[in-house]
Amino acid sequence: MKIPRTASRPASSRLLALLPATALAAGLLAGCSDGGTPDAGSSASASASVDPTQQVAENLSEFSYAGEDGKTALELLEQHDPDAQVQGKGENAFVTAIRGREADPDTEFWGLYVDDELATVGAGSLETKDGQTITWKLEEIEK
């Protein structure tokens, strides 16, 4: 929006005329910015045009959080997503759903990665460390 300049208007009047436009622009920018994530250290995508919970569940294919000394990947998953679905306990735990997104048992599974490397043990056995990135990726079962 271009505000016409007139020689008869003092500078303070011109500044006051710009104030509503500046406030509008700031409001629009604030509405477009990221207001934060549901859990620090976790990531998921959602769209405002659909129920965010449903959208996350349908489109979630990756979920990450920071490792912590002395805690297992499973303990941290349950901390960051208390509703995660797990079959079995401890070393025998098998994650079947994260953030409401269930893996189709015939075609998919939740793979566990540490710093982008596939884990060699299960989530209940994997002792994490500060500075590590723990990531769950929805993967297809190779047939």
Side-chain angles (χ1 to χ4, degrees):
M1 170 197 244
K2 187 173 181 180
I3 309 250
R5 291 187 172 191
T6 60
S8 61
R9 253 189 191 172
S12 61
S13 179
R14 285 193 303 256
L15 287 175
L16 287 175
L18 288 175
L19 188 59
T22 304
L24 177 62
L28 288 172
L29 289 173
C32 294
S33 71
D34 181 16
T37 57
D39 289 327
S42 63
S43 63
S45 62
S47 169
S49 63
V50 180
D51 174 14
T53 307
Q54 180 183 10
Q55 188 73 19
V56 167
E58 290 174 1
N59 292 328
L60 184 71
S61 62
E62 195 170 294
F63 185 75
S64 297
Y65 48 86
E68 293 181 29
D69 286 340
K71 291 194 177 183
T72 67
L74 182 60
E75 288 173 309
L76 291 172
L77 173 63
E78 291 172 336
Q79 178 181 325
H80 288 280
D81 181 12
D83 297 324
Q85 293 179 15
V86 180
Q87 293 179 347
K89 295 195 182 261
E91 295 176 358
N92 297 318
F94 183 75
V95 175
T96 59
I98 297 175
R99 290 280 164 115
R101 175 60 166 93
E102 282 189 63
D104 180 336
D106 295 327
T107 61
E108 301 172 317
F109 68 96
W110 281 103
L112 175 59
Y113 290 79
V114 179
D115 295 330
D116 292 323
E117 295 289 326
L118 186 62
T120 57
V121 297
S125 300
L126 179 64
E127 293 283 332
T128 67
K129 297 176 183 168
D130 289 344
Q132 290 179 322
T133 300
I134 310 303
T135 304
W136 292 89
K137 295 180 183 181
L138 190 63
E139 304 199 339
E140 291 191 26
I141 296 172
E142 293 181 20
K143 292 186 178 189

